[in-house]
Amino acid sequence: MGTVVDAPAVVTEKEVVAENMLGDKKVTVVFVLGPGSGKGTQCSNIVEHFGFTHLSAGDLLRAEIKSGSENGTMIENMIKEGKIVPSEVTIKLLQQAMIKNENDKFLIDGFPRNEENRAAFENVTKISPAFVLFFNCSEEEMERRLLGRNEGRVDDNIETIRKRFKVFVESSLPVIEYYDAKDKVKKIDAAKPIPEVFEDVKAIFAPYAKAT
Ligand SMILES: Nc1ncnc2c1ncn2[C@@H]1O[C@H](COP(=O)(O)OP(=O)(O)O)[C@@H](O)[C@H]1O
Ligand SMILES: Nc1ccn([C@@H]2O[C@H](COP(=O)(O)OP(=O)(O)O)[C@@H](O)[C@H]2O)c(=O)n1
Ligand SMILES: [Mg+2]
């Protein structure tokens, strides 16, 4: 009896996800990092001047808690401890928000916070950031800003703030180093007053100026 040889596998037409495409739109994504450094504050300015849509991973996670989602309790516990929520949860929220929005330019604030966030986002979405905006600020200044924020956040207390900074150093800095090796990091001195920080931000975003 002859050996039965498997027929060569038919090459099925795989769904090819093209780089930086979201459905049929090509998107520009900028990651914004640096804990308690004024990311949200500066993102609002960028939205106003350069026509980006601001997506804060932290805000999306907090909205998910409020919506009564089945993941709500888990997310709340992670935030209270300053820990990073599993990527699948955060990426789903970011992806949904990008798909829902007609814009093609997004500021993704507070993400990717660790290697798992970074790798999973690139694998799932095939989107690479145009660059990473890193607001650099000392731990002391970050503490001062977060303790004065007064938004009633469960994680803006000294104990959680210290944990968040430790997580930033251990988990988020390696992500910044990863992109720095690709020459994609634009580091900004965030210790200066808000308008001065925005002057530096403006210089970086000039190529994305809205056509008037
Ligand atoms: N350059 C700055 N100097 C002083 N305070 C700032 C500056 N930028 C932001 N803040 C204040 O610091 C707090 C944290 O800012 P926020 O934009 O929420 O930071 P992040 O999103 O990085 O945590 C807010 O109360 C904000 O008003
Ligand atoms: N990619 C992310 C972003 C936020 N988070 C959680 O949300 C918390 C608050 O994030 P945030 O970005 O709103 O905080 P700030 O850096 O803006 O003060 C983090 O400390 C994490 O617990 C997360 O798990 N994964
Ligand atoms: Mg913020």
Side-chain angles (χ1 to χ4, degrees):
M1 267 233 268
T3 321
V4 179
V5 180
D6 281 340
V10 179
V11 180
T12 52
E13 218 179 291
K14 276 198 207 148
E15 199 193 331
V16 179
V17 186
E19 284 287 302
N20 285 6
M21 293 298 289
L22 198 68
D24 56 6
K25 71 177 170 184
K26 187 167 171 66
V27 293
T28 299
V29 162
V30 173
F31 289 146
V32 186
L33 296 173
S37 55
K39 298 184 299 296
T41 306
Q42 296 297 332
C43 282
S44 302
N45 287 336
I46 301 167
V47 165
E48 201 181 311
H49 286 76
F50 299 102
F52 275 71
T53 291
H54 175 210
L55 300 178
S56 156
D59 287 352
L60 289 167
L61 290 167
R62 284 183 286 274
E64 188 68 1
I65 298 172
K66 276 210 187 124
S67 78
S69 122
E70 57 175 345
N71 285 322
T73 311
M74 178 276 288
I75 298 172
E76 190 166 21
N77 289 332
M78 302 294 271
I79 288 181
K80 276 186 193 149
E81 286 302 310
K83 292 183 182 159
I84 298 167
V85 173
S87 300
E88 59 199 72
V89 173
T90 317
I91 291 172
K92 202 175 101 202
L93 294 172
L94 288 169
Q95 243 184 337
Q96 283 171 347
M98 283 195 288
I99 289 166
K100 262 203 314 217
N101 198 294
E102 280 179 6
N103 204 346
D104 58 358
K105 297 189 285 185
F106 296 95
L107 297 168
I108 301 196
D109 158 359
F111 183 97
R113 260 184 157 83
N114 62 8
E115 187 55 24
E116 190 217 359
N117 273 182
R118 182 199 66 72
F121 185 84
E122 290 200 4
N123 287 335
V124 171
T125 67
K126 309 291 175 210
I127 295 171
S128 323
F131 58 89
V132 177
L133 196 58
F134 170 35
F135 288 111
N136 193 33
C137 179
S138 67
E139 179 172 11
E140 197 192 6
E141 179 62 18
M142 172 198 100
E143 266 183 31
R144 201 172 15 244
R145 289 182 188 179
L146 295 187
L147 289 174
R149 181 152 59 182
N150 280 327
E151 286 179 1
R153 278 176 49 169
V154 291
D155 55 347
D156 281 349
N157 58 77
I158 194 64
E159 199 187 328
T160 312
I161 289 170
R162 296 215 163 123
K163 288 181 184 165
R164 286 157 71 189
F165 195 79
K166 190 163 182 282
V167 168
F168 170 73
V169 171
E170 286 172 0
S171 305
S172 311
L173 267 184
V175 173
I176 292 169
E177 281 157 12
Y178 169 90
Y179 286 116
D180 198 31
K182 294 177 179 282
D183 241 1
K184 281 198 170 189
V185 175
K186 303 206 188 278
K187 185 170 167 178
I188 290 207
D189 176 9
K192 297 192 278 190
I194 296 172
E196 290 179 32
V197 176
F198 190 55
E199 283 306 309
D200 295 344
V201 168
K202 265 202 264 187
I204 290 170
F205 279 84
Y208 298 89
K210 275 194 276 191
T212 45

